[in-house]
Amino acid sequence: MSTEHGDRQVTIAFTALTLGASAYTLLQSMVLPALPVVQEDLHTSQATVTWVLTAYLLSASVATPILGRLGDMFGKKKMLVVVYAALTAGSLLAGLSNSVGLLIVARVIQGLGGGMFPLSFGIIRDEFPARRVPGAIGLMSGMLGIGSALGMVIAGPVVDHLSWHWLFWIPLVISALATLTTALFIPESPVRSPGRVNLPAAALLSGWLVALLLGLNRGAAWGWTASGTLGLFVAAALLLVLWIQVENRSAVPLIDMTMMRIPAVWWTNVASLLLGVGMFSTFVVIPPFLQAPPEAGYGFDASVTVSGLYLLPSTITMILAGSLIGRIAARLGSKLPLVVGSLLAAVPFLMLSVAHHEPWEFFLATTIQGLGIGLAFSSMSNLIIEAVPSAQTGAATGMNANIRTIGGSIGSQIIASILASGALASGLPSEHGYSVSFAVLATSMIVAAAAATIVPVRRRPAGIPAAGTAALPEPRGGPPVTVESR
């Protein structure tokens, strides 16, 4: 951002970005505790109501890299306003919904909000002063965890004292403010990557993501060896191979496979996948454990509201980690927080696998987990951005955010399958199932730390191109990347 705008304008712009991220991440997690209430109120089945979450994840997974690419082509601010407007419209439709079909359509529209992350990262890189880039990127990336945990905390009181419709009215107000603030106060980024959206690649990307996530979502209900489940996984694998071939042969790929093979990008994405497993699986394993009656041999018979409060420490420590990541990265780089954060995130799962009989054990676990996830999430986007040309920021960070979502979907379904496999006569999972689940998640975090240690260290800081320069490094086989003069 040019010096005449000053720190005040940067702060206003960053406020707009965090407002939008807050709305998106709240919508991602707030509905989870309310699904049984929504199911009863809309007179639908459990299998159908799960699409309220699945449709959101599918839409976000498909839209995120495409919208990131469109932002690189036509302007990140323009696309960010479109994304926030879609998020607002989807929230309005969801708040007015009186049928599960309409609610699922609304969630598909809301899922377009996933595109805000690559667009926001690109705006920060292109427009913010260099000294503020690592901290801003870190805090924005950390919002994925912060907002998700906060959504679980506030969902219970909202449903108990208002109604589940308010789970959409509250984010609607936030996303509307983000839309207005972005339109008024964020300048358009001058960095452009001319070209077109590779429609065959977009279709194949959509196809394999949909097949994969559908298989993961329905596997527990259909059976993991059922023909329908295996058919979806085979289709996902075949479409993935075709997608990679199309991208490799394209002059203007949607996702540059050469870029994805950059060691820093590849290993950061591996860590991202595994961290997504741990972060999102927390919402599947901890609240149900807390809500179980003591008659099951475990649990504290906590209400939805109280079980959400157990996650409050993780929200606080994620915010702390996100606020400090700029100074940490400036002094130590972005790799070390990823390694340390991943290891810290393993500690609470290791602890809970053997010690889960007292409430304080869960408060301690979520405190440590929030710090670890906050450090790890906040550092990953910086590592990606440091490794790729500025014109590929949207596509690279969009895919990184997507990989986290895919990891969360994979982890959630694996944990759900483990818990279901050893259910008690009452239908509740066994205590042993929870112990195994915690151990699996700890292993995922340890492997993420191992992947993080392989990420190459960048020796020079990520630069921000000066306005008016003629060209930047161009994507493989693509047209020149230009920076428009102001």
Side-chain angles (χ1 to χ4, degrees):
M1 182 174 287
S2 56
T3 55
E4 64 266 21
H5 286 88
D7 283 350
R8 182 171 176 272
Q9 283 71 23
V10 171
T11 300
I12 293 173
F14 187 67
T15 299
L17 299 179
T18 53
L19 281 172
S22 299
Y24 173 77
T25 53
L26 285 174
L27 286 166
Q28 182 170 261
S29 64
M30 284 175 72
V31 299
L32 286 172
L35 287 179
V37 178
V38 174
Q39 177 185 342
E40 181 179 357
D41 193 42
L42 298 182
H43 310 290
T44 187
S45 66
Q46 183 177 1
T48 302
V49 81
T50 58
W51 279 94
V52 174
L53 176 63
T54 304
Y56 187 79
L57 294 175
L58 286 173
S59 176
S61 297
V62 172
T64 297
I66 295 173
L67 290 169
R69 173 62 179 148
L70 290 173
D72 289 339
M73 290 169 55
F74 302 116
K76 300 177 182 72
K77 172 186 173 176
K78 292 185 182 71
M79 292 309 304
L80 191 60
V81 171
V82 170
V83 165
Y84 286 161
L87 194 64
T88 304
S91 298
L92 176 63
L93 184 60
L96 296 172
S97 295
N98 56 8
S99 71
V100 70
L102 190 61
L103 181 58
I104 290 171
V105 170
R107 293 290 282 170
V108 170
I109 298 171
Q110 290 172 5
L112 299 178
M116 73 177 58
F117 285 101
L119 296 169
S120 297
F121 295 149
I123 288 171
I124 291 170
R125 176 171 180 168
D126 296 346
E127 294 295 314
F128 283 28
R131 62 185 173 80
R132 297 191 63 171
V133 168
I137 291 289
L139 191 54
M140 272 296 297
S141 187
M143 285 300 299
L144 189 62
I146 295 168
S148 296
L150 187 60
M152 295 291 290
V153 171
I154 66 177
V158 169
V159 173
D160 288 344
H161 299 290
L162 296 169
S163 77
W164 63 263
H165 292 88
W166 281 89
L167 299 176
F168 303 107
W169 294 127
I170 294 171
L172 182 151
V173 173
I174 300 173
S175 62
L177 286 173
T179 305
L180 181 62
T181 309
T182 299
L184 293 177
F185 297 109
I186 293 183
E188 182 56 87
S189 169
V191 179
R192 293 287 190 278
S193 178
R196 58 181 176 81
V197 174
N198 189 323
L199 294 180
L204 289 168
L205 172 63
S206 303
W208 76 259
L209 283 172
V210 168
L212 174 64
L213 294 180
L214 273 177
L216 291 169
N217 177 259
R218 304 307 301 159
W222 293 348
W224 294 107
T225 58
S227 58
T229 306
L230 294 177
L232 285 169
F233 288 145
V234 169
L238 292 175
L239 290 171
L240 173 61
V241 171
L242 287 174
W243 173 66
I244 293 173
Q245 290 178 346
V246 168
E247 294 283 40
N248 279 331
R249 295 171 182 172
S250 174
V252 187
L254 182 66
I255 302 293
D256 190 341
M257 291 295 111
T258 302
M259 173 192 71
M260 296 297 288
R261 287 193 293 268
I262 295 172
V265 174
W266 170 260
W267 289 111
T268 301
N269 282 338
V270 171
S272 181
L273 178 78
L274 295 165
L275 285 161
V277 169
M279 171 64 197
F280 293 105
S281 297
T282 299
F283 305 139
V284 175
V285 70
I286 289 184
F289 185 102
L290 299 172
Q291 292 168 22
E295 292 77 17
Y298 60 90
F300 309 120
D301 202 19
S303 66
V304 173
T305 298
V306 171
S307 63
L309 290 176
Y310 276 82
L311 298 173
L312 183 59
S314 68
T315 304
I316 296 171
T317 50
M318 280 184 201
I319 294 172
L320 176 64
S323 65
L324 294 176
I325 194 65
R327 278 176 277 181
I328 295 172
R331 177 169 295 187
L332 302 174
S334 297
K335 175 180 175 177
L336 185 61
L338 178 57
V339 176
V340 173
S342 300
L343 290 173
L344 278 176
V347 171
F349 293 125
L350 285 172
M351 184 185 77
L352 290 176
S353 68
V354 296
H356 45 246
H357 301 292
E358 300 293 336
W360 68 264
E361 293 165 343
F362 284 86
F363 282 113
L364 178 61
T366 56
T367 299
I368 298 172
Q369 189 212 29
L371 183 61
I373 292 292
L375 285 172
F377 273 22
S378 299
S379 60
M380 283 189 292
S381 295
N382 275 319
L383 286 168
I384 294 289
I385 287 173
E386 290 167 3
V388 302
S390 60
Q392 293 179 320
T393 296
T397 56
M399 203 61 192
N400 181 256
N402 240 15
I403 287 169
R404 265 180 277 182
T405 299
I406 294 169
S409 298
I410 293 171
S412 299
Q413 295 303 324
I414 290 174
I415 296 304
S417 180
I418 292 172
L419 295 178
S421 64
L424 303 172
S426 62
L428 292 170
S430 67
E431 183 178 2
H432 176 71
Y434 278 108
S435 295
V436 171
S437 297
F438 290 132
V440 167
L441 295 178
T443 302
S444 177
M445 299 300 93
I446 292 170
V447 178
T453 63
I454 306 174
V455 176
V457 176
R458 185 181 175 91
R459 297 299 179 185
R460 59 185 178 87
I464 298 182
T469 55
L472 294 172
E474 61 185 61
R476 174 183 54 80
V481 177
T482 61
V483 180
E484 299 173 356
S485 297
R486 300 267 183 173

